[in-house]
Amino acid sequence: MAVDIVMPQMGESIFEGTITKWLKKPGDKVERDEPLFEISTDKVDAEIPSPSAGVLKEIKVGEGQTVPIQTIVGVIDAAGSAAASSAPAPAKTAAPAPAPAKAPAAAVPAISRPAAPAPAAAPAPSASSSSTSERIHSSPLVRRMAKEHGIDLATVEGTGAGGRISKQDIEAMIAAGGAPASAHPAYSAPSPAPSSRPAPPPAAPGVSGGQVHVALETAVPREKMYFGNYEVHPMSTMRQRIAEHMVASKRVSAHVYSVDEIDMTKVAALRAKSKDEFEKRYETKLTFMPFFVKAAVAGLRAYPTLNASLDGTNIILHKEINVGIAVALDWGLLVPVVKNADEKNILGIQRNMNDLAERARSKKLKPEEVQECTFSITNPGVFGGLFGLPVISQPNVGILGLGAIEKRPVVINDSIAIRSMCYVTLSYDHRVVDGAIAHQFLHKVKETLENWNEPVL
């Protein structure tokens, strides 16, 4: 009996996925729930288990290809048919993604999946797409792309399930010249000559829901990119998503940075005294991160403007405090979220973080575990960095960067003392947060850590 392998839906707002790696090849035996292939979405990378025991008979969608959810990507022979019957399967396997072969022959491309066939004779787009799109089946990502490019979603024929307009439909419209030159009236000057560089992109609209899409552009002329001895490495799907989100964040948010220095001596002494008993009693290691999370929670309670997001001209003040913790992976970066961090003690935060980090590294995270973040923390100090100036994770308005904790001589009561010191930085969106609030927040974080009084055992 043949069992279809389908592209799963990894969250309510996710309607497509990219197969990054097949863990089995045609003819291999598989067990039910054994990891079969890896996918990457806008939210998370994950291993997908086999829906049935048997033999992988056919791979229909190759590595690097992006398909809508519920697409059949392969077939399992649940009856375990003879290997001979599955031998022709490799010839049927979809061709690998063309990006690696094309890279040397063209300018470094904008990060985008191949567009679907362009619709014929699309009607002229309307600048009022934002109101129309609300009544059309589409994701927030699609609506933002349409708004950014001045496309009226009412003029787009959806090819997704139930007539849903997909990202490929919008990309096809854009490729077909669907966005009119007059979509942004502020630019009324004549079009530049064909050989001149395009005008800078217009300001991005407000961001909501944590999804941002922006075409990546390069400011370096093509002839300057390839010279001497070089290798071309196509960006992974995750690297493309990170690049899109970081470029979009710099375009969307007015980044400003503040720096402070914290005396971590009291916390360092408490951790050193308690870490062995903590690990023995709770079977988990005690790091510095839960102390910083608790201090950030204290700051967010005192200054809730930083526990916010911006949607157009609306400031959304979140009642929950959900702290995203950046996790460095061998293949990229994820920001799993400690939900309701204000309701957890040191042990609860540490266990939650360890669990999320472990499953991030083993590609076991669920999409909802990287969503609904209201404030973020990143820790370049763990790699020896003195401090960093991180990019805000959209749609947040602030991110706390932690430097290395190291002993330095400092002046205390007119005397020089050796203390465990740490630089912290706050990147904040000046559209929402003013400098006074940012520095008051940092002072609250500093005060909480330097006067720590919460037990850990």
PDB file of all heavy atoms in Angstrom, residues 375-407:
ATOM      1  N   PHE A 375       9.931  40.851  23.683  1.00  0.00           N
ATOM      2  CA  PHE A 375      11.226  41.482  23.942  1.00  0.00           C
ATOM      3  C   PHE A 375      12.284  40.398  23.776  1.00  0.00           C
ATOM      4  O   PHE A 375      12.014  39.224  24.046  1.00  0.00           O
ATOM      5  CB  PHE A 375      11.279  42.066  25.360  1.00  0.00           C
ATOM      6  CG  PHE A 375      12.536  42.843  25.666  1.00  0.00           C
ATOM      7  CD1 PHE A 375      12.673  44.156  25.232  1.00  0.00           C
ATOM      8  CD2 PHE A 375      13.575  42.269  26.383  1.00  0.00           C
ATOM      9  CE1 PHE A 375      13.829  44.880  25.509  1.00  0.00           C
ATOM     10  CE2 PHE A 375      14.733  42.981  26.667  1.00  0.00           C
ATOM     11  CZ  PHE A 375      14.850  44.292  26.227  1.00  0.00           C
ATOM     12  N   SER A 376      13.483  40.783  23.332  1.00  0.00           N
ATOM     13  CA  SER A 376      14.511  39.790  23.034  1.00  0.00           C
ATOM     14  C   SER A 376      15.803  40.060  23.799  1.00  0.00           C
ATOM     15  O   SER A 376      16.095  41.199  24.165  1.00  0.00           O
ATOM     16  CB  SER A 376      14.818  39.761  21.529  1.00  0.00           C
ATOM     17  OG  SER A 376      13.655  39.525  20.764  1.00  0.00           O
ATOM     18  N   ILE A 377      16.562  38.990  24.013  1.00  0.00           N
ATOM     19  CA  ILE A 377      17.889  39.072  24.625  1.00  0.00           C
ATOM     20  C   ILE A 377      18.856  38.242  23.784  1.00  0.00           C
ATOM     21  O   ILE A 377      18.537  37.117  23.389  1.00  0.00           O
ATOM     22  CB  ILE A 377      17.886  38.542  26.071  1.00  0.00           C
ATOM     23  CG1 ILE A 377      16.924  39.350  26.949  1.00  0.00           C
ATOM     24  CG2 ILE A 377      19.289  38.591  26.670  1.00  0.00           C
ATOM     25  CD1 ILE A 377      16.824  38.840  28.380  1.00  0.00           C
ATOM     26  N   THR A 378      20.024  38.797  23.507  1.00  0.00           N
ATOM     27  CA  THR A 378      21.070  38.061  22.811  1.00  0.00           C
ATOM     28  C   THR A 378      22.357  38.178  23.619  1.00  0.00           C
ATOM     29  O   THR A 378      22.570  39.167  24.322  1.00  0.00           O
ATOM     30  CB  THR A 378      21.283  38.596  21.374  1.00  0.00           C
ATOM     31  OG1 THR A 378      22.257  37.784  20.710  1.00  0.00           O
ATOM     32  CG2 THR A 378      21.729  40.037  21.364  1.00  0.00           C
ATOM     33  N   ASN A 379      23.216  37.170  23.521  1.00  0.00           N
ATOM     34  CA  ASN A 379      24.358  37.067  24.416  1.00  0.00           C
ATOM     35  C   ASN A 379      25.668  36.867  23.654  1.00  0.00           C
ATOM     36  O   ASN A 379      26.242  35.779  23.647  1.00  0.00           O
ATOM     37  CB  ASN A 379      24.137  35.918  25.406  1.00  0.00           C
ATOM     38  CG  ASN A 379      25.221  35.839  26.464  1.00  0.00           C
ATOM     39  OD1 ASN A 379      25.993  36.771  26.634  1.00  0.00           O
ATOM     40  ND2 ASN A 379      25.276  34.728  27.180  1.00  0.00           N
ATOM     41  N   PRO A 380      26.174  37.921  22.983  1.00  0.00           N
ATOM     42  CA  PRO A 380      27.476  37.771  22.316  1.00  0.00           C
ATOM     43  C   PRO A 380      28.612  37.556  23.297  1.00  0.00           C
ATOM     44  O   PRO A 380      29.672  37.053  22.932  1.00  0.00           O
ATOM     45  CB  PRO A 380      27.640  39.103  21.561  1.00  0.00           C
ATOM     46  CG  PRO A 380      26.785  40.075  22.309  1.00  0.00           C
ATOM     47  CD  PRO A 380      25.613  39.277  22.816  1.00  0.00           C
ATOM     48  N   GLY A 381      28.381  37.892  24.574  1.00  0.00           N
ATOM     49  CA  GLY A 381      29.424  37.717  25.580  1.00  0.00           C
ATOM     50  C   GLY A 381      29.834  36.280  25.780  1.00  0.00           C
ATOM     51  O   GLY A 381      30.969  36.009  26.196  1.00  0.00           O
ATOM     52  N   VAL A 382      28.939  35.335  25.486  1.00  0.00           N
ATOM     53  CA  VAL A 382      29.283  33.930  25.672  1.00  0.00           C
ATOM     54  C   VAL A 382      30.390  33.516  24.709  1.00  0.00           C
ATOM     55  O   VAL A 382      31.088  32.533  24.944  1.00  0.00           O
ATOM     56  CB  VAL A 382      28.025  33.046  25.486  1.00  0.00           C
ATOM     57  CG1 VAL A 382      27.635  32.919  24.035  1.00  0.00           C
ATOM     58  CG2 VAL A 382      28.243  31.665  26.098  1.00  0.00           C
ATOM     59  N   PHE A 383      30.585  34.282  23.634  1.00  0.00           N
ATOM     60  CA  PHE A 383      31.660  34.006  22.677  1.00  0.00           C
ATOM     61  C   PHE A 383      32.852  34.936  22.896  1.00  0.00           C
ATOM     62  O   PHE A 383      33.743  35.021  22.056  1.00  0.00           O
ATOM     63  CB  PHE A 383      31.134  34.162  21.249  1.00  0.00           C
ATOM     64  CG  PHE A 383      29.958  33.273  20.954  1.00  0.00           C
ATOM     65  CD1 PHE A 383      28.678  33.800  20.840  1.00  0.00           C
ATOM     66  CD2 PHE A 383      30.117  31.900  20.820  1.00  0.00           C
ATOM     67  CE1 PHE A 383      27.587  32.988  20.584  1.00  0.00           C
ATOM     68  CE2 PHE A 383      29.028  31.079  20.559  1.00  0.00           C
ATOM     69  CZ  PHE A 383      27.763  31.628  20.448  1.00  0.00           C
ATOM     70  N   GLY A 384      32.844  35.655  24.027  1.00  0.00           N
ATOM     71  CA  GLY A 384      33.968  36.513  24.363  1.00  0.00           C
ATOM     72  C   GLY A 384      33.811  37.959  23.946  1.00  0.00           C
ATOM     73  O   GLY A 384      34.728  38.750  24.136  1.00  0.00           O
ATOM     74  N   GLY A 385      32.664  38.319  23.389  1.00  0.00           N
ATOM     75  CA  GLY A 385      32.465  39.692  22.947  1.00  0.00           C
ATOM     76  C   GLY A 385      32.331  40.656  24.116  1.00  0.00           C
ATOM     77  O   GLY A 385      31.619  40.378  25.084  1.00  0.00           O
ATOM     78  N   LEU A 386      33.010  41.810  24.040  1.00  0.00           N
ATOM     79  CA  LEU A 386      32.915  42.811  25.097  1.00  0.00           C
ATOM     80  C   LEU A 386      31.492  43.363  25.161  1.00  0.00           C
ATOM     81  O   LEU A 386      30.891  43.472  26.218  1.00  0.00           O
ATOM     82  CB  LEU A 386      33.909  43.938  24.842  1.00  0.00           C
ATOM     83  CG  LEU A 386      34.076  44.963  25.963  1.00  0.00           C
ATOM     84  CD1 LEU A 386      34.570  44.290  27.236  1.00  0.00           C
ATOM     85  CD2 LEU A 386      35.049  46.065  25.518  1.00  0.00           C
ATOM     86  N   PHE A 387      30.940  43.714  24.017  1.00  0.00           N
ATOM     87  CA  PHE A 387      29.518  44.019  23.889  1.00  0.00           C
ATOM     88  C   PHE A 387      29.186  44.081  22.405  1.00  0.00           C
ATOM     89  O   PHE A 387      30.078  44.119  21.550  1.00  0.00           O
ATOM     90  CB  PHE A 387      29.118  45.319  24.613  1.00  0.00           C
ATOM     91  CG  PHE A 387      29.703  46.582  24.027  1.00  0.00           C
ATOM     92  CD1 PHE A 387      29.104  47.219  22.946  1.00  0.00           C
ATOM     93  CD2 PHE A 387      30.830  47.157  24.591  1.00  0.00           C
ATOM     94  CE1 PHE A 387      29.629  48.388  22.428  1.00  0.00           C
ATOM     95  CE2 PHE A 387      31.363  48.327  24.082  1.00  0.00           C
ATOM     96  CZ  PHE A 387      30.769  48.945  22.993  1.00  0.00           C
ATOM     97  N   GLY A 388      27.898  44.094  22.100  1.00  0.00           N
ATOM     98  CA  GLY A 388      27.451  44.157  20.712  1.00  0.00           C
ATOM     99  C   GLY A 388      26.283  45.108  20.587  1.00  0.00           C
ATOM    100  O   GLY A 388      25.679  45.522  21.576  1.00  0.00           O
ATOM    101  N   LEU A 389      25.959  45.467  19.349  1.00  0.00           N
ATOM    102  CA  LEU A 389      24.829  46.346  19.058  1.00  0.00           C
ATOM    103  C   LEU A 389      23.857  45.561  18.172  1.00  0.00           C
ATOM    104  O   LEU A 389      23.892  45.673  16.948  1.00  0.00           O
ATOM    105  CB  LEU A 389      25.303  47.624  18.359  1.00  0.00           C
ATOM    106  CG  LEU A 389      26.316  48.474  19.139  1.00  0.00           C
ATOM    107  CD1 LEU A 389      26.799  49.647  18.291  1.00  0.00           C
ATOM    108  CD2 LEU A 389      25.715  48.974  20.446  1.00  0.00           C
ATOM    109  N   PRO A 390      23.006  44.740  18.780  1.00  0.00           N
ATOM    110  CA  PRO A 390      22.170  43.835  17.987  1.00  0.00           C
ATOM    111  C   PRO A 390      21.070  44.547  17.221  1.00  0.00           C
ATOM    112  O   PRO A 390      20.649  45.657  17.571  1.00  0.00           O
ATOM    113  CB  PRO A 390      21.579  42.909  19.059  1.00  0.00           C
ATOM    114  CG  PRO A 390      21.601  43.711  20.317  1.00  0.00           C
ATOM    115  CD  PRO A 390      22.814  44.585  20.222  1.00  0.00           C
ATOM    116  N   VAL A 391      20.619  43.893  16.159  1.00  0.00           N
ATOM    117  CA  VAL A 391      19.491  44.372  15.359  1.00  0.00           C
ATOM    118  C   VAL A 391      18.200  43.923  16.027  1.00  0.00           C
ATOM    119  O   VAL A 391      18.080  42.791  16.498  1.00  0.00           O
ATOM    120  CB  VAL A 391      19.573  43.831  13.920  1.00  0.00           C
ATOM    121  CG1 VAL A 391      18.368  44.264  13.106  1.00  0.00           C
ATOM    122  CG2 VAL A 391      20.864  44.295  13.257  1.00  0.00           C
ATOM    123  N   ILE A 392      17.222  44.809  16.080  1.00  0.00           N
ATOM    124  CA  ILE A 392      15.941  44.506  16.719  1.00  0.00           C
ATOM    125  C   ILE A 392      15.240  43.386  15.972  1.00  0.00           C
ATOM    126  O   ILE A 392      15.193  43.365  14.736  1.00  0.00           O
ATOM    127  CB  ILE A 392      15.056  45.767  16.750  1.00  0.00           C
ATOM    128  CG1 ILE A 392      15.722  46.853  17.599  1.00  0.00           C
ATOM    129  CG2 ILE A 392      13.668  45.450  17.300  1.00  0.00           C
ATOM    130  CD1 ILE A 392      15.070  48.220  17.462  1.00  0.00           C
ATOM    131  N   SER A 393      14.684  42.455  16.726  1.00  0.00           N
ATOM    132  CA  SER A 393      13.898  41.359  16.142  1.00  0.00           C
ATOM    133  C   SER A 393      12.461  41.836  15.996  1.00  0.00           C
ATOM    134  O   SER A 393      11.775  42.093  16.973  1.00  0.00           O
ATOM    135  CB  SER A 393      13.972  40.127  17.051  1.00  0.00           C
ATOM    136  OG  SER A 393      13.188  39.074  16.530  1.00  0.00           O
ATOM    137  N   GLN A 394      12.023  41.960  14.760  1.00  0.00           N
ATOM    138  CA  GLN A 394      10.670  42.459  14.513  1.00  0.00           C
ATOM    139  C   GLN A 394       9.612  41.470  14.982  1.00  0.00           C
ATOM    140  O   GLN A 394       9.828  40.265  14.905  1.00  0.00           O
ATOM    141  CB  GLN A 394      10.479  42.730  13.014  1.00  0.00           C
ATOM    142  CG  GLN A 394      11.377  43.821  12.480  1.00  0.00           C
ATOM    143  CD  GLN A 394      11.100  45.174  13.108  1.00  0.00           C
ATOM    144  OE1 GLN A 394       9.955  45.503  13.409  1.00  0.00           O
ATOM    145  NE2 GLN A 394      12.147  45.943  13.320  1.00  0.00           N
ATOM    146  N   PRO A 395       8.469  41.930  15.498  1.00  0.00           N
ATOM    147  CA  PRO A 395       8.039  43.331  15.561  1.00  0.00           C
ATOM    148  C   PRO A 395       8.333  43.988  16.901  1.00  0.00           C
ATOM    149  O   PRO A 395       7.657  44.946  17.275  1.00  0.00           O
ATOM    150  CB  PRO A 395       6.539  43.216  15.333  1.00  0.00           C
ATOM    151  CG  PRO A 395       6.174  41.947  16.043  1.00  0.00           C
ATOM    152  CD  PRO A 395       7.341  41.010  15.839  1.00  0.00           C
ATOM    153  N   ASN A 396       9.332  43.484  17.656  1.00  0.00           N
ATOM    154  CA  ASN A 396       9.688  44.101  18.942  1.00  0.00           C
ATOM    155  C   ASN A 396      10.210  45.517  18.725  1.00  0.00           C
ATOM    156  O   ASN A 396      10.555  45.909  17.600  1.00  0.00           O
ATOM    157  CB  ASN A 396      10.749  43.274  19.656  1.00  0.00           C
ATOM    158  CG  ASN A 396      10.304  41.860  19.982  1.00  0.00           C
ATOM    159  OD1 ASN A 396      11.131  41.016  20.307  1.00  0.00           O
ATOM    160  ND2 ASN A 396       9.014  41.573  19.906  1.00  0.00           N
ATOM    161  N   VAL A 397      10.308  46.262  19.821  1.00  0.00           N
ATOM    162  CA  VAL A 397      10.890  47.603  19.753  1.00  0.00           C
ATOM    163  C   VAL A 397      12.181  47.683  20.564  1.00  0.00           C
ATOM    164  O   VAL A 397      12.758  48.750  20.713  1.00  0.00           O
ATOM    165  CB  VAL A 397       9.893  48.679  20.243  1.00  0.00           C
ATOM    166  CG1 VAL A 397       8.666  48.707  19.339  1.00  0.00           C
ATOM    167  CG2 VAL A 397       9.490  48.452  21.694  1.00  0.00           C
ATOM    168  N   GLY A 398      12.644  46.547  21.094  1.00  0.00           N
ATOM    169  CA  GLY A 398      13.878  46.562  21.861  1.00  0.00           C
ATOM    170  C   GLY A 398      14.518  45.194  21.957  1.00  0.00           C
ATOM    171  O   GLY A 398      13.826  44.166  21.881  1.00  0.00           O
ATOM    172  N   ILE A 399      15.846  45.164  22.084  1.00  0.00           N
ATOM    173  CA  ILE A 399      16.584  43.921  22.297  1.00  0.00           C
ATOM    174  C   ILE A 399      17.783  44.239  23.195  1.00  0.00           C
ATOM    175  O   ILE A 399      18.479  45.243  22.995  1.00  0.00           O
ATOM    176  CB  ILE A 399      17.036  43.283  20.965  1.00  0.00           C
ATOM    177  CG1 ILE A 399      17.824  41.983  21.228  1.00  0.00           C
ATOM    178  CG2 ILE A 399      17.845  44.242  20.117  1.00  0.00           C
ATOM    179  CD1 ILE A 399      18.098  41.184  19.948  1.00  0.00           C
ATOM    180  N   LEU A 400      18.002  43.402  24.182  1.00  0.00           N
ATOM    181  CA  LEU A 400      19.087  43.578  25.144  1.00  0.00           C
ATOM    182  C   LEU A 400      20.274  42.713  24.733  1.00  0.00           C
ATOM    183  O   LEU A 400      20.127  41.521  24.497  1.00  0.00           O
ATOM    184  CB  LEU A 400      18.609  43.192  26.546  1.00  0.00           C
ATOM    185  CG  LEU A 400      19.551  43.470  27.725  1.00  0.00           C
ATOM    186  CD1 LEU A 400      19.691  44.978  27.939  1.00  0.00           C
ATOM    187  CD2 LEU A 400      19.024  42.795  28.995  1.00  0.00           C
ATOM    188  N   GLY A 401      21.448  43.330  24.633  1.00  0.00           N
ATOM    189  CA  GLY A 401      22.661  42.597  24.291  1.00  0.00           C
ATOM    190  C   GLY A 401      23.564  42.471  25.506  1.00  0.00           C
ATOM    191  O   GLY A 401      23.807  43.461  26.209  1.00  0.00           O
ATOM    192  N   LEU A 402      24.066  41.270  25.768  1.00  0.00           N
ATOM    193  CA  LEU A 402      24.888  41.003  26.949  1.00  0.00           C
ATOM    194  C   LEU A 402      26.340  40.781  26.548  1.00  0.00           C
ATOM    195  O   LEU A 402      26.632  39.960  25.671  1.00  0.00           O
ATOM    196  CB  LEU A 402      24.379  39.761  27.692  1.00  0.00           C
ATOM    197  CG  LEU A 402      22.871  39.712  27.975  1.00  0.00           C
ATOM    198  CD1 LEU A 402      22.515  38.400  28.658  1.00  0.00           C
ATOM    199  CD2 LEU A 402      22.439  40.902  28.821  1.00  0.00           C
ATOM    200  N   GLY A 403      27.246  41.491  27.193  1.00  0.00           N
ATOM    201  CA  GLY A 403      28.667  41.304  26.940  1.00  0.00           C
ATOM    202  C   GLY A 403      29.257  40.257  27.872  1.00  0.00           C
ATOM    203  O   GLY A 403      28.571  39.682  28.723  1.00  0.00           O
ATOM    204  N   ALA A 404      30.541  40.015  27.711  1.00  0.00           N
ATOM    205  CA  ALA A 404      31.228  39.034  28.548  1.00  0.00           C
ATOM    206  C   ALA A 404      31.316  39.537  29.993  1.00  0.00           C
ATOM    207  O   ALA A 404      31.488  40.732  30.239  1.00  0.00           O
ATOM    208  CB  ALA A 404      32.626  38.781  28.000  1.00  0.00           C
ATOM    209  N   ILE A 405      31.170  38.617  30.934  1.00  0.00           N
ATOM    210  CA  ILE A 405      31.356  38.931  32.355  1.00  0.00           C
ATOM    211  C   ILE A 405      32.816  38.637  32.685  1.00  0.00           C
ATOM    212  O   ILE A 405      33.266  37.498  32.597  1.00  0.00           O
ATOM    213  CB  ILE A 405      30.414  38.093  33.238  1.00  0.00           C
ATOM    214  CG1 ILE A 405      28.956  38.404  32.898  1.00  0.00           C
ATOM    215  CG2 ILE A 405      30.677  38.359  34.710  1.00  0.00           C
ATOM    216  CD1 ILE A 405      27.952  37.515  33.603  1.00  0.00           C
ATOM    217  N   GLU A 406      33.552  39.676  33.047  1.00  0.00           N
ATOM    218  CA  GLU A 406      34.977  39.500  33.317  1.00  0.00           C
ATOM    219  C   GLU A 406      35.410  40.425  34.447  1.00  0.00           C
ATOM    220  O   GLU A 406      34.815  41.489  34.663  1.00  0.00           O
ATOM    221  CB  GLU A 406      35.807  39.771  32.064  1.00  0.00           C
ATOM    222  CG  GLU A 406      35.582  41.135  31.450  1.00  0.00           C
ATOM    223  CD  GLU A 406      36.350  41.337  30.165  1.00  0.00           C
ATOM    224  OE1 GLU A 406      36.771  40.338  29.544  1.00  0.00           O
ATOM    225  OE2 GLU A 406      36.534  42.503  29.778  1.00  0.00           O
ATOM    226  N   LYS A 407      36.435  40.005  35.140  1.00  0.00           N
ATOM    227  CA  LYS A 407      36.928  40.805  36.268  1.00  0.00           C
ATOM    228  C   LYS A 407      37.754  41.976  35.755  1.00  0.00           C
ATOM    229  O   LYS A 407      38.638  41.816  34.925  1.00  0.00           O
ATOM    230  CB  LYS A 407      37.749  39.930  37.210  1.00  0.00           C
ATOM    231  CG  LYS A 407      36.902  38.907  37.964  1.00  0.00           C
ATOM    232  CD  LYS A 407      37.713  38.147  39.000  1.00  0.00           C
ATOM    233  CE  LYS A 407      36.820  37.204  39.791  1.00  0.00           C
ATOM    234  NZ  LYS A 407      37.580  36.463  40.840  1.00  0.00           N
TER     235      LYS A 407
END
